[in-house]
Amino acid sequence: QQLGHRYLRSWEAMGKMLEEGKSWSGRERNLCYLNDGKGRFTDISALAGFDLPSDGRAQAFTDWDGDGDLDVWQANRSAPRVRFLLNQLDKNARYLAFRLVGQTCNRDAIGARVTVTLSNGKRLLRTLRAGEGYLGQSSKVVRFGLPGAGKFSASVCWPGGTIEDFGNVAPGGTYTLTQGGTPVPFTKSSIKISARSLTETDEPSSSLRLLAH
């Protein structure tokens, strides 16, 4: 009973902190790390424009403007409550993206693992998850950044363990992979959106500058 009383008092104290505009995390700046592919990570927060003094709560990643790179939506406890970070990489074809459609497994293919094999034999792996991080859900399009030119092939391990090889796929496109089917280029109506219209009311640093994902 005494332990339960201390637990409730702790929540009351945290609630009072929030009412006073204080932070649970000590007003830590947002961080972004770059994976060098050798088991090490480099802090590129300032370079990427991520080091904002927000009391962040959630992030969702998606190709919002349809240009092939990932953009970021952030939810914060403090203002601005919602921030959009537009990835302004130069246009290139160094990516592959896949929309998965399950037939004998769940329709959204949650739990599927997509493997892209590079021409040098190296493999890239992504898992489709429902919910990513705290209070966030990123796009269900499985996306890969590619190291350069070459031939690429894709395979899917569907929920249940069935592995399906979809063969070679050309970079720079989004494909629909249906369980038991063949890769189909995904097309959608053009999204007309400008960096200026999205960021002109936000802070200058909200225009994201990310390295190749």
Side-chain angles (χ1 to χ4, degrees):
Q1 187 176 6
Q2 186 177 4
L3 180 62
H5 179 68
R6 290 203 303 267
Y7 177 78
L8 293 177
R9 289 282 301 275
S10 298
W11 276 106
E12 290 174 1
M14 286 189 289
K16 185 177 181 181
M17 286 175 59
L18 293 179
E19 291 175 359
E20 295 174 351
K22 297 180 181 178
S23 170
W24 290 353
S25 58
R27 302 193 182 280
E28 298 171 351
R29 302 182 75 90
N30 294 336
L31 297 174
C32 179
Y33 291 92
L34 175 67
N35 184 351
D36 66 2
K38 300 178 182 179
R40 294 174 297 183
F41 292 83
T42 302
D43 185 352
I44 61 167
S45 307
L47 177 64
F50 250 110
D51 61 337
L52 302 167
S54 305
D55 199 358
R57 285 295 179 265
Q59 289 190 136
F61 298 86
T62 183
D63 182 8
W64 188 257
D65 54 354
D67 65 351
D69 53 39
L70 286 175
D71 308 303
V72 187
W73 284 98
Q74 288 185 339
N76 306 303
R77 187 193 63 81
S78 55
R81 300 300 297 274
V82 177
R83 175 186 282 114
F84 177 71
L85 301 175
L86 180 66
N87 197 337
Q88 295 180 314
L89 283 174
D90 294 334
K91 291 185 178 180
N92 60 71
R94 295 190 298 110
Y95 76 94
L96 277 169
F98 303 98
R99 303 172 66 92
L100 305 183
V101 180
Q103 295 292 338
T104 59
C105 66
N106 65 86
R107 181 69 174 176
D108 290 335
I110 301 299
R113 297 192 303 273
V114 182
T115 300
V116 169
T117 303
L118 311 183
S119 54
N120 62 4
K122 183 178 179 179
R123 294 184 295 177
L124 307 176
L125 176 67
R126 296 282 188 275
T127 301
L128 179 56
R129 297 186 290 267
E132 293 208 339
Y134 177 66
L135 297 178
Q137 170 62 55
S138 295
S139 168
K140 288 185 291 184
V141 176
V142 182
R143 186 172 301 275
F144 295 83
L146 303 176
K151 292 184 178 180
F152 308 95
S153 62
S155 64
V156 179
C157 179
W158 299 98
T162 302
I163 299 177
E164 194 169 359
D165 185 4
F166 286 90
N168 293 335
V169 286
T174 300
Y175 296 86
T176 298
L177 303 183
T178 301
Q179 191 175 16
T182 57
V184 177
F186 176 77
T187 59
K188 60 182 179 179
S189 59
S190 176
I191 301 176
K192 298 202 178 289
I193 192 168
S194 68
R196 179 178 177 80
S197 64
L198 285 169
T199 61
E200 61 185 359
T201 59
D202 208 342
E203 303 172 15
S205 58
S206 292
S207 181
L208 184 65
R209 308 177 305 279
L210 278 185
L211 303 180
H213 54 275

